[in-house]
Amino acid sequence: MATPVKVHGPPMSTAVSRVLACLLEKNVDFQLISVNMAKGEHKKPEFLKIQPFGQVPAFEDGGVSLFESRAICRYICEKYADKGNKGLYGTNPLAKASIEQWLEAEGQSFSPPSSVLVFQLAFAPRMKIKQDQVVIKQNEEKLSRVLDIYDKRLGETRFLAGDEFTLADLSHLPNTQYLVGVSGRGELFTSRKNVGRWWNEISSRDSWKKVVDMQKKSA
Amino acid sequence: MAAIRLHGTPYSTAVARVLTTLYEKELEFEFVEIDMKAGEHKKESFLSINPFGQIPGFEDGDLKLFESRAITKYIAQEYADKGTQFKCGDSKTAAIIGVWMEVEAHQFDPVASKLTWELALKPRYGLATDTAIVEENEAKLAKVLDVYESRLAQSKYLGCGCFTLADLHHLPCIHYLLGTQAKKLFDSRPHVSAWVDAITARPAWSKVLALQKQQG
């Protein structure tokens, strides 16, 4: 029987891998459907029907069609609340409020500079695009300031939203994996004691190891 | 003393997002003005509410929160039975509302904020507008609004048939942009234009504008 949950996009996409990590944490079966981005499949009318901005991932679960990785993750956590990691999106309103706060911090403060760095350091070379050193330096400075705040926070709590691993931490995995693993800018994270400890913990989770494996296999 | 305290300045787009939600929900709250010029948002007492040193900071009793979109969600959830309901339909609709909230945060706001800064705010501070940035971001905003135009041809509001946080979150930047040359991008798209008219006509939004005039 075909599973109703479908994720459209390549595992090496940071946004796609965010959704994959969430599905694996929640033990939800899914089908990964490839999108040939090199051939511009994501800009074609067929794909634009399920993602009007022409980006990956697109997501389907039976009759529900969604996009935007963080919205997809929230949906997965709500719909499959009783499966897998039950505390991923909080089990009470106060826990949820804290998770939402740090999920927004990821989206608004961490993601902008780290996404630029991931593109410049990990993807541009592969795509034979020239790196912009000024842009790299500016965004390293921005990210450093954000990570200073994270280091203080992670000295007070084990994970960002509290003492349990949540969606807020998970959301950071994709970009950080590239920066620590591939780009040689790992010391931004590892030189900060609490951030380094946090990164080791969250990246060692089975669900994330599976995602990294999927990325390697599809490369 | 009200249990709810909102720290910031009313003309900040992020603060205005929370103010609108509080008015929509008809909640009592205390507005604590932060003196940005004096760097009050970087001082320890404020950093204990928002470690990023940005406004707004929010308190409800002992709960402290930051990030305007997390705060509005909390208010909508905690005070679900008060004021505007912000929903219509079931959990499937709720998921789609969630999608368009992310669209505002990641497709609309990055571009609209840059234009707001260049066209609406820099002139107020006597700073020169960067026309290259304006041109680049007007082109980006046009593409985003093309998607909105298609969406709003099928749905009265972005998330569903009624006004939700997905629409509300746009108000502060849209208001600024309507006072600039970027207004044409909204006016030239009939469904977007009708949607803008509807959301900016809401009484709660007028209350925010009144507060901005008072303290401006």
Side-chain angles (χ1 to χ4, degrees), chain A residues 52-53 55 63-64 66-68 70-71 74-75 97 100-102 104-105 107-109 149-150, chain B residues 51-52 63-67 69-70 73-74 92 95-96 98-100 102-103 105-107 147:
Chain A
F53 293 90
Q55 294 170 341
V64 179
L66 304 172
F67 56 95
E68 285 295 336
R70 295 168 191 84
R74 288 182 179 104
Y75 163 82
E100 278 294 346
Q101 170 180 269
W102 287 100
E104 286 300 317
Q108 295 292 324
S109 296
I149 295 166
Y150 276 34
Chain B
F52 290 87
L63 175 70
K64 293 183 170 135
L65 287 178
F66 57 90
E67 282 298 333
R69 296 173 187 84
K73 277 205 188 101
Y74 163 79
K92 180 176 162 176
I96 293 170
V99 166
W100 289 92
E102 287 296 311
V103 168
H106 293 284
Q107 308 287 348
V147 176

Side-chain angles (χ1 to χ4, degrees), chain B residues 59-135:
Chain B
E59 293 176 282
D60 188 357
D62 290 331
L63 175 70
K64 293 183 170 135
L65 287 178
F66 57 90
E67 282 298 333
S68 65
R69 296 173 187 84
I71 297 166
T72 60
K73 277 205 188 101
Y74 163 79
I75 294 166
Q77 179 91 351
E78 185 67 13
Y79 300 98
D81 54 336
K82 299 200 82 179
T84 305
Q85 287 301 290
F86 292 141
K87 65 181 175 191
C88 44
D90 54 15
S91 58
K92 180 176 162 176
T93 315
I96 293 170
I97 294 167
V99 166
W100 289 92
M101 286 173 72
E102 287 296 311
V103 168
E104 181 276 329
H106 293 284
Q107 308 287 348
F108 178 85
D109 189 68
V111 177
S113 292
K114 286 199 179 85
L115 283 171
T116 296
W117 173 244
E118 291 296 331
L119 294 170
L121 298 175
K122 267 177 149 181
R124 286 187 200 195
Y125 298 122
L127 298 169
T129 297
D130 185 325
T131 49
I133 293 180
V134 169
E135 207 181 304

Side-chain angles (χ1 to χ4, degrees), chain A residues 142-156:
Chain A
K142 278 187 192 161
L143 185 57
S144 290
R145 286 196 293 272
V146 170
L147 292 177
D148 284 341
I149 295 166
Y150 276 34
D151 204 58
K152 185 157 189 270
R153 169 63 177 176
L154 293 164
E156 297 159 2

